[in-house]
Amino acid sequence: MTDVTTTDPFHAELLEIAREAARRAGELLRDGRPADLAVAATKSSPIDVVTEMDIAAEKLITGLITDRRPEDGLLGEEGSAREGTSGVRWVVDPLDGTVNYLYGQPAWAVSIAAEQDGERVAGVVTAPMRGETYYAVRGGGAWATGAWEGARRLSCRAAAPLDRALVSTGFNYVAEVRAEQAEVARRLIPLVRDIRRGGSAAIDLCDVAAGRLDGYYERGLHPWDLAAGDLIAREAGAVTGGHPGQPPSGALTVAATPAVFTPLRNLLVDFGA
């Protein structure tokens, strides 16, 4: 059972499906990763192993969802796409933080969100190497389970000015875009407490929710990168958005405490982020 406080049993049902699928996929990825992926002898390259694990995790997730809710739509990073007829669509990132996974870094996650009539209503991010799972339903708050006893409700950090904000970001794989993003970060660093680069958008969004970051921004995200984490951050009291008047998107995603969001977003727009 969940600890979210929702009066909508349907959304709670969707959340439970997402939690089970994320848990199973996380176990598959954690337990199926070769101990030394860089020298995996049975494949032509370590990237092949990661790709196969990624695809296997998405197949597990979409198979479970299809068994439970065959009329729903699907959108997955590894190519799963189905329109559906129920008004519900699942947005799936089976392995967010692929490079971290390749290198044995712990910051990788499984991210699953459910949308109803185009609005996100449930989301789960499981970070197996952290031993933590973050989840939320619309209007029910954001919660996490981990090494502590039971589930705890998440809340973003208390108000602090931008110059005392710890902010995370990410960088694109395309060299030219990455260079532009580095210039934005260079201009931003003197104006905040410090900048982090975690390597998983889903985990960064959940860290804003958990009060481990004051803010996070990135350009170039896909729907599956941010769907679950965006809901979790908002349900924890954070503000999320993109360019002024726009929702989070590939053009710009920002999530931050209410005090930090507007000044951070305005600076990013000024800097060309």
Side-chain angles (χ1 to χ4, degrees):
M1 295 296 293
T2 69
D3 295 273
V4 295
T5 52
T6 178
T7 58
D8 191 326
F10 179 58
H11 294 168
E13 175 192 339
L14 297 179
L15 178 63
E16 284 306 312
I17 294 171
R19 288 184 68 181
E20 181 180 352
R23 176 183 60 80
R24 290 190 186 183
E27 290 172 352
L28 172 71
L29 291 164
R30 181 195 64 204
D31 299 341
R33 183 188 183 278
D36 191 348
L37 186 54
V39 292
T42 59
K43 303 295 176 183
S44 60
S45 78
I47 299 298
D48 292 338
V49 180
V50 174
T51 299
E52 288 191 9
M53 295 300 295
D54 207 340
I55 293 171
E58 182 162 308
K59 184 177 179 180
L60 185 157
I61 294 165
T62 57
L64 187 151
I65 290 170
T66 299
D67 285 344
R68 304 286 178 83
R69 298 191 51 82
E71 305 303 318
D72 291 354
L74 288 166
L75 176 64
E77 181 188 22
E78 291 302 321
S80 297
R82 186 173 70 210
E83 285 297 321
T85 57
S86 66
V88 173
R89 182 178 76 157
W90 299 84
V91 184
V92 176
D93 191 340
L95 177 52
D96 186 61
T98 305
V99 175
N100 286 343
Y101 184 80
L102 172 64
Y103 276 80
Q105 296 277 357
W108 56 268
V110 179
S111 174
I112 304 173
E115 300 173 342
Q116 184 178 24
D117 300 324
E119 183 174 359
R120 291 171 196 138
V121 296
V124 175
V125 173
T126 293
M129 304 311 292
R130 282 187 172 191
E132 296 178 359
T133 296
Y134 319 87
Y135 54 94
V137 296
R138 186 184 64 190
W143 300 77
T145 57
W148 53 88
E149 185 177 349
R152 66 182 179 95
R153 188 161 189 162
L154 300 180
S155 180
C156 65
R157 292 183 69 82
L162 184 64
D163 63 0
R164 283 191 275 157
L166 182 64
V167 176
S168 182
T169 190
F171 297 98
N172 198 280
Y173 290 119
V174 178
E176 293 80 3
V177 177
R178 197 162 61 240
E180 295 171 2
Q181 291 171 321
E183 175 60 18
V184 171
R186 183 194 68 80
R187 297 179 67 182
L188 186 63
I189 283 174
L191 305 176
V192 298
R193 183 190 293 274
D194 206 351
I195 285 185
R196 297 288 184 267
R197 194 272 194 264
S200 165
I203 289 179
D204 281 344
L205 287 162
C206 291
D207 278 347
V208 172
R212 293 167 173 165
L213 293 168
D214 296 285
Y216 160 73
Y217 74 93
E218 190 163 349
R219 170 186 167 193
L221 297 183
H222 299 282
W224 47 80
D225 296 315
L226 62 89
D230 174 68
L231 177 63
I232 292 165
R234 286 190 284 110
E235 286 294 328
V239 180
T240 71
H243 285 280
Q246 299 295 318
S249 70
L252 180 65
T253 293
V254 183
T257 65
V260 168
F261 176 83
T262 298
L264 175 62
R265 193 268 313 277
N266 290 347
L267 278 177
L268 294 169
V269 172
D270 290 344
F271 294 164

